[in-house]
Amino acid sequence: MKKFIPLLIPVFIFFVTFFISGYFSAINTDPHHDGIVLKPAIDVVNGKMLFRDTFTQYGALTTLIQAFAIKIFGEYLITIKLLTAFFYGLVAVLIYFIWSRFLSKKLAIFSLLIWLLLAPYLSVVFLPWSSVYALFFQCLTLYLILKYLDTNNKKALLLAGIFGALTFWSKQNVGAYTIAASFISIALLQALSKKKISTLFPIGFQYLFGSLLISLPILLWITLNNAIADWWKQSISFALFWAEASKLHIFNHFFPRSISNLSIWSLIPILTIIAFLREFFAKKSNLTILAVSIFGLFSWLQYFPIADIRHVYWAATPMFGITIYLFFKLAESINNKNTIIKYSVFLFLIMLIFARDLNFGIKSGFIKATKEYFYLSEPLVLKGMKLSKSEFNFYKKTYEEIIKYEKINGNTNIITTGGNALYLTFIKSENFHPLYINIAIINKSLIYPDYLGKLNTYIKYNKPLIIAIPKQIPLGYCRMNNLVNPEDSAFLTAPCK
């Protein structure tokens, strides 16, 4: 039986993480964030070309993975929610393997437990976000670099280059940070291992070759489908504009608050800096700690330009194990001879720092899990989702109004003058422009200066149904009922009779 334990532990970790995240993934909706990933995935399944025909804010890979799942399991929001929970499970297994290299198995599992109990989906809506997919490939890249450290096998670096590129194609900024962390880690590990500088170039080339091996075919596919200009606008230009627009409050982004007065989200990267410096200046460096610290600190950069609970959680994930490691080392330095005292000090430190945030996560999760929820059979895209009473009423009656309108007026298209694309998945909707949402920051970025003009022209000549928000009702349009979604103030409008 003992020989199966190394296999059973990661299997157990995967299923526990998948079950917990999967359960919470089905609770409530976020019309903007759910819609902006679901809409392009459905569009791709229905034959549209990514970027050229349908807007996606991040890399192509997340949308393609989600489109593949939708093709197999159906055009449901819960499909990509559960898929994202599946990736959370894979991330949990990877970080367990990574942390087990410098923590005992028990401490690695303990670190995972803390990571799970701090998950944002316990308190806010679960998002099928690109950051989760990027986190998987980021951790896999780190794992392979550590594998190279063990085996000196250059194939591991080739694979690390492939997965580093896949991180970029999942989410651009995470990929850029992962590739940078990879090269710096490789260079430092070579230097601290006292290997000749000349060996660095063929090793770096292996990683670079792996990255190009996956990136060039994707770029070729985008180019051959006349989508390269739109890819650049959506994935590069818009991302740079967003970063530029957010730089004024950069300090607050990197040192955000948490529930506790001593913010865990600020402390975790600070402790990772300490771990890095401790190993860098040590007589004999722990190269694993060094590499994990480098990846963690580059991951920390994800706090900018959005430092909400979700983004800091995704960014801090590689650093959790380092934090536990330092706390345990501190407890050992206080009393290494008496096991009871050592672990008591360790648990005291953990509770001192994490208790309030853990308590918040557990309480929030319990409240979410025990609330009353309602299920819809239509619109089909929301089938299986656990909805609040207000969500249930709005989605149900809005969909009924759309179907009623179509029975009288024939098939119609539905668009939005707001920023939330979830409504566009209620029926088959056609895009008059790659951009299908109206968000101020996108318009300010000027990546599509023609969008507002085309929006007004399309409304004037095609008279679609419109999901609008206050102050964005087009001329000649009237509300169809008094229903308003409390989540985003949206309501259904049609041409006035």
Side-chain angles (χ1 to χ4, degrees):
M1 183 66 183
K2 282 186 178 180
K3 66 179 181 180
F4 293 109
I5 290 177
L7 176 63
L8 291 175
I9 290 174
V11 170
F12 175 76
I13 286 168
F14 170 81
F15 279 106
V16 168
T17 307
F18 177 59
F19 175 79
I20 293 172
S21 58
Y23 177 83
F24 285 97
S25 74
I27 298 175
N28 300 133
T29 59
D30 182 320
H32 172 65
H33 292 96
D34 286 343
I36 207 169
V37 288
L38 180 63
K39 165 69 173 162
I42 289 177
D43 280 349
V44 167
V45 169
N46 288 303
K48 291 183 175 64
M49 177 60 198
L50 198 59
F51 304 115
R52 185 193 69 199
D53 302 325
T54 186
F55 173 84
T56 186
Q57 190 169 325
Y58 299 112
L61 185 60
T62 297
T63 305
L64 294 177
I65 292 171
Q66 292 180 337
F68 180 73
I70 285 171
K71 184 76 173 176
I72 296 172
F73 298 108
E75 294 181 12
Y76 309 110
L77 176 58
I78 200 168
T79 298
I80 62 169
K81 294 265 194 177
L82 290 175
L83 176 69
T84 308
F86 177 83
F87 270 82
Y88 267 118
L90 295 178
V91 168
V93 172
L94 279 172
I95 56 179
Y96 166 75
F97 283 138
I98 292 167
W99 295 343
S100 294
R101 295 174 63 93
F102 54 88
L103 293 172
S104 67
K105 285 183 170 57
K106 289 179 181 178
L107 283 178
I109 292 170
F110 179 74
S111 303
L112 274 167
L113 179 62
I114 290 177
W115 177 72
L116 270 173
L117 294 176
L118 291 171
Y121 51 74
L122 296 175
S123 56
V124 294
V125 177
F126 181 106
L127 297 186
W129 210 237
S130 57
S131 298
V132 183
Y133 301 83
L135 179 58
F136 166 72
F137 292 114
Q138 175 191 13
C139 290
L140 192 49
T141 305
L142 171 57
Y143 175 78
L144 286 164
I145 286 177
L146 296 176
K147 201 77 174 172
Y148 167 74
L149 193 61
D150 285 341
T151 62
N152 214 29
N153 188 337
K154 291 180 182 177
K155 287 182 180 177
L157 281 183
L158 178 72
L159 289 171
I162 290 172
F163 289 113
L166 290 177
T167 311
F168 173 83
W169 288 105
S170 298
K171 195 176 184 197
Q172 310 91 297
N173 63 330
V174 187
Y177 304 148
T178 299
I179 292 168
S182 299
F183 280 115
I184 291 173
S185 296
I186 291 165
L188 268 180
L189 297 178
Q190 289 292 107
L192 292 171
S193 300
K194 297 180 181 178
K195 293 181 180 178
K196 292 180 180 178
I197 191 70
S198 58
T199 63
L200 182 59
F201 296 101
I203 290 168
F205 177 77
Q206 284 286 334
Y207 185 96
L208 182 62
F209 180 71
S211 296
L212 293 175
L213 196 64
I214 198 70
S215 293
L216 291 178
I218 295 174
L219 281 170
L220 183 63
W221 169 67
I222 293 171
T223 303
L224 291 176
N225 282 281
N226 299 316
I228 194 73
D230 291 294
W231 168 74
W232 184 265
K233 290 175 183 178
Q234 295 169 31
S235 291
I236 308 299
S237 297
F238 181 48
L240 292 173
F241 176 83
W242 195 313
E244 179 70 19
S246 305
K247 68 182 182 181
L248 291 177
H249 306 288
I250 195 164
F251 182 84
N252 292 336
H253 284 282
F254 286 113
F255 298 97
R257 302 190 62 149
S258 70
I259 301 300
S260 174
N261 292 328
L262 179 58
S263 172
I264 60 169
W265 306 119
S266 296
L267 183 64
I268 286 173
I270 290 170
L271 290 175
T272 305
I273 293 171
I274 292 170
F276 170 79
L277 294 173
R278 185 173 179 266
E279 296 304 330
F280 184 78
F281 291 107
K283 288 183 180 179
K284 187 176 181 182
S285 301
N286 183 323
L287 299 183
T288 297
I289 294 286
L290 203 64
V292 176
S293 298
I294 291 168
F295 267 77
L297 292 174
F298 271 94
S299 187
W300 179 29
L301 298 177
Q302 291 181 66
Y303 281 26
F304 178 82
I306 299 175
D308 71 329
I309 189 174
R310 298 181 181 107
H311 286 82
V312 296
Y313 178 77
W314 296 321
T317 289
M319 298 184 273
F320 272 89
I322 294 289
T323 302
I324 301 302
Y325 169 80
L326 285 181
F327 281 155
F328 191 73
K329 284 294 179 186
L330 180 57
E332 275 188 335
S333 69
I334 292 170
N335 193 318
N336 193 30
K337 293 181 179 180
N338 190 310
T339 303
I340 293 174
I341 294 175
K342 178 175 66 176
Y343 278 94
S344 296
V345 171
F346 170 68
L347 289 173
F348 172 76
L349 290 171
I350 294 294
M351 289 299 104
L352 182 68
I353 302 302
F354 287 100
R356 289 187 65 183
D357 289 275
L358 288 170
N359 181 59
F360 175 75
I362 294 167
K363 275 189 174 181
S364 299
F366 179 79
I367 291 168
K368 281 184 79 171
T370 54
K371 275 185 177 178
E372 183 182 16
Y373 295 103
F374 302 85
Y375 296 86
L376 278 171
S377 55
E378 290 180 322
L380 280 174
V381 74
L382 296 179
K383 192 174 182 180
M385 294 299 298
K386 300 174 184 178
L387 304 173
S388 67
K389 186 66 174 176
S390 60
E391 285 178 307
F392 175 84
N393 287 334
F394 180 78
Y395 291 143
K396 181 178 185 295
K397 292 178 181 177
T398 298
Y399 179 73
E400 287 172 352
E401 289 279 8
I402 293 169
I403 299 304
K404 182 180 175 182
Y405 184 88
E406 285 197 324
K407 282 181 180 178
I408 297 170
N409 299 281
N411 288 344
T412 188
N413 197 22
I414 184 168
I415 66 169
T416 181
T417 54
N420 300 340
L422 182 60
Y423 309 114
L424 309 185
T425 65
F426 286 8
I427 60 173
K428 297 290 183 187
S429 63
E430 289 303 319
N431 302 340
F432 63 88
H433 189 280
L435 196 58
Y436 45 77
I437 50 172
N438 183 12
I439 298 180
I441 193 168
I442 296 181
N443 295 326
K444 286 178 183 176
S445 71
L446 296 179
I447 59 169
Y448 288 113
D450 64 336
Y451 170 70
L452 290 176
K454 287 190 174 181
L455 171 65
N456 293 329
T457 301
Y458 182 83
I459 292 170
K460 181 179 178 180
Y461 291 105
N462 293 274
K463 306 297 183 187
L465 286 176
I466 299 175
I467 293 285
I469 59 175
K471 298 182 181 179
Q472 287 189 334
I473 304 177
L475 190 66
Y477 270 73
C478 297
R479 289 178 59 167
M480 293 184 70
N481 53 40
N482 293 320
L483 279 172
V484 176
N485 188 349
E487 297 296 321
D488 62 355
S489 304
F491 43 80
L492 183 63
T493 69
C496 300
K497 293 182 180 179

